[in-house]
Amino acid sequence: MAGRFDGQVAIVTGASRGIGLAIAQRFVADGGKVCITARKAEALAEAVESLGGSEHAIFVAGSADDEAHQDETVATTLAAFGRIDFLVNNTGINPTYGRMIDVDLGAAEKTMRVNVVSAIAWAQKVYHAWLGDHGGAIVNIASVAGLLPAPGIGVYGASKAALIHVTEELAVELGPDIRVNAVAPAVVKTKFATALYEGREEEVAAAYPLKRLGEPDDIGSVVTFLLSQDSAWVTGQTITIDGGVTLTGGV
């Protein structure tokens, strides 16, 4: 597997920790170079060091839905590495919990802007900067909450359902030279998902046929498969990575 991304470059958003960092780690381990983004520069700097330093990774700090940040990231990546072969839209927020009927609409709009609109914007930026002329692949990080009703996180689920549809639309528009896929994880043990399992991990995991929650590398391995030529005839698909929990009707 080592070397399958030799000479290739990816942008991974939301990658200072958790799933995004695991994706970047797998990509670099297979020979690629990566630009990671998130809001906090200090955490990103630490992540870059864990990836082997500036020879292998760089970072740009900023808000994923900020157009100036998107432009800076693309320009910085091209200046550092000379190309952008892949985009992973990993950034996501979930600022609300409770019934959708009661949700604060400002929070709902922010969720849609970050989780859906900014994913489209990143795709546009990378397409016009490099992918449109050279080809490549995009992977969007969705969620099982986008596949089934998810009480308490309904707006988040709606945003991920929209992202799955965005994936399908872009796959149709951008083929044959650009493949676009998504993954839909269930609960993965990250800081982002802590509220879903903290203090009751065994109870939550009991509903999963594989009897454990996900680890970030469970997602990173599938995402790098979708970026690689190992999935050369795969586009417009959403791969569910859930330890089997959706088989039992759960998210």
Side-chain angles (χ1 to χ4, degrees), residues 15-231:
S16 62
R17 65 179 189 232
I19 290 173
L21 181 56
I23 294 166
Q25 288 168 336
R26 291 297 293 255
F27 188 77
V28 169
D30 283 350
K33 299 181 187 298
V34 65
C35 177
I36 58 174
T37 80
R39 288 182 295 114
K40 297 180 180 179
E42 183 176 351
L44 285 166
E46 292 176 0
V48 164
E49 288 304 307
S50 76
L51 292 166
S54 59
E55 180 182 349
H56 304 284
I58 59 173
F59 74 86
V60 180
S63 298
D65 58 334
D66 178 22
E67 184 176 4
H69 169 62
Q70 296 161 4
D71 288 334
E72 181 186 5
T73 301
V74 170
T76 300
T77 305
L78 288 174
F81 298 135
R83 59 193 293 159
I84 303 170
D85 302 282
F86 308 113
L87 168 67
V88 180
N89 278 310
N90 175 64
T91 299
I93 63 169
N94 183 27
T96 65
Y97 185 85
R99 300 193 309 166
M100 182 180 285
I101 197 66
D102 299 319
V103 72
D104 175 80
L105 295 183
E109 289 176 358
K110 177 69 173 179
T111 302
M112 291 295 181
R113 186 166 69 250
V114 173
N115 294 3
V116 184
V117 178
S118 75
I120 298 171
W122 280 102
Q124 290 178 341
K125 300 291 186 181
V126 173
Y127 175 83
H128 291 298
W130 187 267
L131 292 188
D133 291 329
H134 301 90
I138 298 170
V139 176
N140 297 318
I141 310 304
S143 168
V144 293
L147 303 173
L148 296 168
I153 55 171
V155 171
Y156 175 78
S159 75
K160 294 302 186 178
L163 185 60
I164 290 169
H165 189 79
V166 166
T167 299
E168 295 168 349
E169 291 285 351
L170 290 178
V172 172
E173 292 181 5
L174 301 183
D177 297 320
I178 302 170
R179 297 181 301 105
V180 187
N181 291 289
V183 298
V187 176
V188 178
K189 293 168 65 175
T190 64
K191 185 175 180 179
F192 178 80
T194 298
L196 299 177
Y197 69 88
E198 189 174 40
R200 55 192 186 96
E201 182 176 336
E202 288 189 8
E203 176 188 348
V204 176
Y208 289 61
L210 292 185
K211 302 305 179 189
R212 71 173 178 89
L213 302 183
E215 299 285 350
D217 197 53
D218 291 321
I219 315 306
S221 60
V222 179
V223 171
T224 49
F225 161 72
L226 290 172
L227 294 176
S228 77
Q229 283 300 299
D230 294 333
S231 63

